[in-house]
């Protein structure tokens, strides 16, 4: 028996990277998982196939979280496919991609997070958990300067975190808890790759400063732990980057 038998999880942005690894871990603990992608169906289908081959349950759903149709499609699929919705991992983020409309970072990293939560909450029973994934560069952006190339994304993600925290009283009324997982830059993620492309050497410099950067798999394991961790609603789990805390107290 797994810890998450008879539970259903939505993991946004889970066709690759951290989200895909979180989806695999939750499925391995017994949860049925809705794997979300925006455009790359083959990648999402590969994640689902891997989960199913290991004996797990999963379904892939193409949904643009910046649209009302997208968030409701994700939420309704959990109910239609698996009959419940108990876990929501808000992992999808972006804003450094080329060719996006002005204000896209805020639209995805703040507005879409709130809209996804609001679409899910009416379907979630008491005892459900929401996990929001962010970075130290975003969480501490008001007190610790980050790289200029990343600042707009960092500020939009902090705005998303603040907007979700503003909903804590509403969640408490329904018996739903929210946990924030904040991590340092993660080796091998799309954000790290894009950042290193616009600011060559940025990741190497951050690695030297922090002493260690977590891999995608290592960080995903920490995110997955927070789905069942015995912590208060509103708790922030910090992963790596201990020097950030020294900076905030200077």
């Amino acid at each position: 028996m797994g810890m998450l038998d008879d539970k259903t999880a939505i993991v946004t942005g889970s066709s690759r990277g951290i989200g895909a690894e979180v989806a695999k871990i939750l499925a391995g603990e017994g949860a049925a998982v809705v794997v979300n992608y925006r455009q790359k169906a083959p990648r999402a289908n590969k994640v689902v196939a891997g989960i199913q081959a290991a004996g797990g349950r999963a379904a892939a759903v193409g949904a643009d979280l910046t649209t009302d149709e997208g968030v409701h499609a994700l939420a309704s699929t959990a109910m239609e496919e698996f009959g419940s919705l108990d876990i929501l991992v808000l992992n999808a983020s972006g804003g450094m991609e080329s060719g996006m409309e002005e204000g896209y970072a805020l639209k995805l990293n703040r507005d879409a997070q709130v809209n996804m939560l609001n679409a899910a909450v009416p379907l979630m029973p008491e005892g459900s958990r929401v996990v929001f994934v962010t970075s130290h560069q975003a969480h501490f952006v008001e007190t610790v300067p980050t790289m200029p190339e990343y600042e707009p994304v960092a500020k939009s993600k902090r705005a998303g975190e603040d907007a979700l925290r503003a909903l804590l009283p509403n969640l408490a009324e329904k018996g739903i808890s929210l946990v924030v997982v904040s991590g340092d830059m993660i080796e091998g993620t799309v954000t790290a790759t894009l950042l290193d492309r616009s600011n060559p050497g940025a990741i190497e410099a951050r690695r030297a400063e922090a002493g260690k950067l977590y891999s995608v798999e290592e960080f995903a394991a920490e995110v997955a732990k927070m789905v069942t961790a015995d912590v208060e609603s509103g708790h922030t789990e910090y992963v790596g980057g201990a020097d950030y805390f020294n900076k905030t107290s200077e």
Side-chain angles (χ1 to χ4, degrees):
M1 295 288 286
M3 289 181 67
L4 299 176
D5 285 350
D6 302 320
K7 303 292 186 185
T8 301
I10 290 174
V11 183
T12 65
S14 48
S15 66
R16 63 178 173 185
I18 294 163
E21 292 302 318
V22 170
K24 292 173 191 174
I25 294 168
L26 298 184
E29 293 176 355
V33 183
V34 178
V35 174
N36 161 238
Y37 66 95
R38 188 167 65 92
Q39 291 178 315
K40 302 293 195 313
R43 281 202 304 234
N45 290 334
K46 187 175 179 181
V47 174
V48 168
I51 289 171
Q52 292 173 339
R57 296 174 297 151
V61 179
D64 181 349
L65 301 186
T66 64
T67 68
D68 285 341
E69 296 81 9
V71 296
H72 287 291
L74 254 189
S76 62
T77 297
M79 301 301 293
E80 291 163 9
E81 290 282 337
F82 304 117
S84 67
L85 176 53
D86 313 275
I87 300 155
L88 174 62
V89 180
L90 295 169
N91 167 73
S93 67
M96 292 194 70
E97 306 89 339
S98 59
M100 291 299 185
E101 64 189 276
E102 186 177 350
Y104 177 76
L106 204 56
K107 190 175 181 181
L108 175 60
N109 297 329
R110 182 191 64 189
D111 301 347
Q113 310 301 318
V114 171
N115 292 341
M116 184 68 244
L117 179 60
N118 286 337
V121 160
L123 308 175
M124 301 178 84
E126 186 176 351
S128 295
R129 173 152 293 176
V130 180
V131 178
F132 176 66
V133 182
T134 189
S135 66
H136 295 343
Q137 288 77 12
H139 182 74
F140 292 111
V141 71
E142 300 302 332
T143 52
V144 182
T146 189
M147 290 158 272
E149 297 84 358
Y150 189 64
E151 188 172 341
V153 175
K155 287 189 171 181
S156 68
K157 284 186 71 67
R158 180 67 222 198
E161 180 182 339
D162 291 343
L164 291 171
R165 288 186 183 279
L167 298 175
L168 280 169
N170 301 26
L171 294 176
E173 286 179 9
K174 296 179 176 291
I176 299 171
S177 56
L178 168 71
V179 176
V180 174
V181 182
S182 178
D184 206 339
M185 285 288 177
I186 308 300
E187 300 268 17
T189 58
V190 174
T191 298
T193 301
L194 292 173
L195 185 57
D196 217 38
R197 191 177 297 163
S198 62
N199 183 357
I203 301 304
E204 187 177 339
R206 180 67 201 130
R207 189 186 303 114
E209 188 175 26
K212 167 191 166 64
L213 295 182
Y214 277 62
S215 68
V216 167
E217 293 77 12
E218 288 171 332
F219 184 63
E222 298 302 317
V223 173
K225 283 179 190 175
M226 287 300 109
V227 167
T228 54
D230 184 13
V231 293
E232 294 284 327
S233 187
H235 170 77
T236 304
E237 182 73 9
Y238 297 107
V239 181
D243 60 310
Y244 257 83
F245 310 105
N246 296 329
K247 288 178 184 176
T248 59
S249 61
E250 287 173 358

